[in-house]
Amino acid sequence: MLQEFVGLMSPKTKSLKALYSLIRKHGPIRINELVELSGFKHSTCSRLVEELVQAGLIYDSGFGEPKVGRKPAFYVIKPDSHFLIGVEISSLFIVVLLLDLNLQVLDEVNFKMDFGSSPQSTLNLIGDHIDSMLLQHQLKQNQLLGIGVGVIGSIHRDSGTVFFKDHLSMGWDQLNIIEALEKRFPTVVLLDHGANLAALGEYRSKYWSETENLVYTSSGVGIRSGIILQGQVVGSKLDMDESFGHITVDIHGRKCSCGAYGCLEAYSSLPAVKEEVIRQLKRGKPSSLQETFLQTDDIQFHHILDALKHGDFLCSDVVRDAAFYYGIGLTNLIQLLRPDIVIIGGGLGGNVDFYEMALATVQERTKQYKNLQVKIIRASSGYNAVAVGAGCMVFDYFLEEK
């Protein structure tokens, strides 16, 4: 029935969709509460709810105990009525997730991006993993609600193509990802920026009932942000998911890869941290990395992150400096958008020292606002935030008002 919630609908189907959406957001929920939220008559609401139960889309969770008399029904969506595939594609790795409708991860595969392979062969490998997941979990094609794809890179929505700035001639800008996956799987395929989807995944998974205003930020190879305002992802036809990384934090600062000076990305991204660690090593600063590498230029991002875990003082100092500037960027973002929740994620943003320093910087620079209640939280979905959000995008597609 969920597939019927898109396109032309009868008034009855629209009512079923409205009730299902309310149960998804507010469940466990009683009939009386649904009547109040929907505006339907009690008898109409009861009849429609029973139809959703018979269709296998919702069920009585048994939540709550009656104070007197008969136990009321508390309805929630049935998470295994359909399933979602969420995919993240970046210049470093691929993530493929099988999700239920509660966005719980049922199966996961991740592998490094191989730019020695053609984009089509990479998509074929993604497809093989999806087939394997469906087979392993004994799912039929009609149980797959759709495939969502999040890209850490530039996307062209009309052509369904992507562009990785570090790999200019690898052919991804010639391959329509949507068409390629739709040919293999008879289901909906959707594509969006990774930062938007990470924001959506975090919002739907944990904060939906708490706020309608949330910002997700990510510090890794690049710096990106996704914004939820009034419960909706703030999208744009402009390819600007990296714009947060290019706000100015020091007008006389370092030169950024974009050509400007003092951009946040020149201080608080993994490439910036790597460059500063190597610079300090060449100046003779001690580090455990010297025991492993004779040539400092051989040091990669993951070596620095590993050294951080083992308490390397040089790497810790550089990361704390990076986090200080990130906190300045977050302060600007908070003062402009005034969100209720700010989430910090990404390969660097997920580091505890980075998070704590960024948090302390924001608190220090906003202390004059006595009533400011913004929460600054580490990402809960870890490295799967984008893929979880990609699956969520598919579910939202069937329930959003069009």
Side-chain angles (χ1 to χ4, degrees), residues 43-274:
S43 58
T44 301
C45 193
S46 297
R47 186 177 70 253
L48 293 172
V49 164
E50 182 58 29
E51 191 164 335
L52 290 171
V53 170
Q54 293 302 316
L57 295 183
I58 65 171
Y59 70 101
D60 177 8
S61 67
F63 176 83
E65 295 294 334
K67 294 181 180 179
V68 179
R70 182 181 175 185
K71 181 180 178 179
F74 284 81
Y75 293 102
V76 294
I77 65 169
K78 196 168 184 294
D80 59 354
S81 64
H82 293 82
F83 298 88
L84 309 161
I85 292 290
V87 179
E88 176 181 357
I89 300 177
S90 77
S91 61
L92 296 178
F93 56 85
I94 310 285
V95 177
V96 183
L97 302 181
L98 174 66
L99 306 155
D100 67 16
L101 296 185
N102 283 336
L103 304 182
Q104 296 300 304
V105 178
L106 305 178
D107 208 342
E108 172 183 353
V109 172
N110 56 75
F111 54 94
K112 290 183 178 180
M113 169 67 90
D114 180 8
F115 279 95
S117 299
S118 70
Q120 185 61 62
S121 64
T122 302
L123 278 188
N124 289 342
L125 184 56
I126 291 172
D128 291 343
H129 285 304
I130 294 173
D131 280 333
S132 178
M133 288 176 175
L134 297 179
L135 181 63
Q136 183 177 345
H137 292 267
Q138 299 181 333
L139 302 179
K140 299 177 181 178
Q141 287 282 357
N142 62 2
Q143 291 178 278
L144 179 60
L145 198 58
I147 300 170
V149 181
V151 175
I152 308 300
S154 300
I155 66 173
H156 194 290
R157 298 179 190 278
D158 294 336
S159 64
T161 57
V162 304
F163 178 80
F164 300 107
K165 63 182 180 181
D166 296 330
H167 302 275
L168 304 183
S169 59
M170 296 303 174
W172 282 92
D173 57 341
Q174 304 298 318
L175 177 66
N176 188 317
I177 293 175
I178 296 175
E179 283 187 1
L181 289 173
E182 284 179 340
K183 285 180 181 178
R184 181 160 179 174
F185 300 97
T187 191
V188 170
V189 180
L190 302 175
L191 176 71
D192 201 353
H193 289 294
N196 287 345
L197 297 179
L200 179 63
E202 288 281 343
Y203 176 62
R204 290 278 188 263
S205 297
K206 294 193 65 176
Y207 305 108
W208 198 4
S209 59
E210 183 177 341
T211 182
E212 290 192 333
N213 302 303
L214 173 151
V215 174
Y216 177 93
T217 70
S218 172
S219 175
V221 175
I223 293 177
R224 293 174 169 82
S225 64
I227 301 168
I228 305 284
L229 290 180
Q230 297 183 337
Q232 300 294 320
V233 175
V234 177
S236 172
K237 293 182 179 179
L238 300 176
D239 192 18
M240 295 184 65
D241 68 314
E242 291 184 332
S243 58
F244 178 50
H246 297 284
I247 64 171
T248 303
V249 292
D250 184 349
I251 60 173
H252 302 297
R254 302 172 187 169
K255 187 173 183 179
C256 181
S257 60
C258 71
Y261 289 85
C263 294
L264 180 61
E265 191 168 296
Y267 291 87
S268 303
S269 63
L270 277 173
V273 167
K274 174 187 168 183

Side-chain angles (χ1 to χ4, degrees), residues 281 286-293 307-308 310-315:
L281 286 171
S287 168
S288 60
L289 292 170
Q290 293 165 322
E291 301 171 7
T292 308
F293 298 95
L308 273 174
H310 293 91
D312 184 89
F313 289 112
L314 173 60
C315 292

Side-chain angles (χ1 to χ4, degrees), residues 289-308:
L289 292 170
Q290 293 165 322
E291 301 171 7
T292 308
F293 298 95
L294 295 176
Q295 299 295 325
T296 55
D297 291 336
D298 293 336
I299 295 171
Q300 301 300 322
F301 303 141
H302 64 277
H303 300 137
I304 295 172
L305 294 176
D306 287 341
L308 273 174

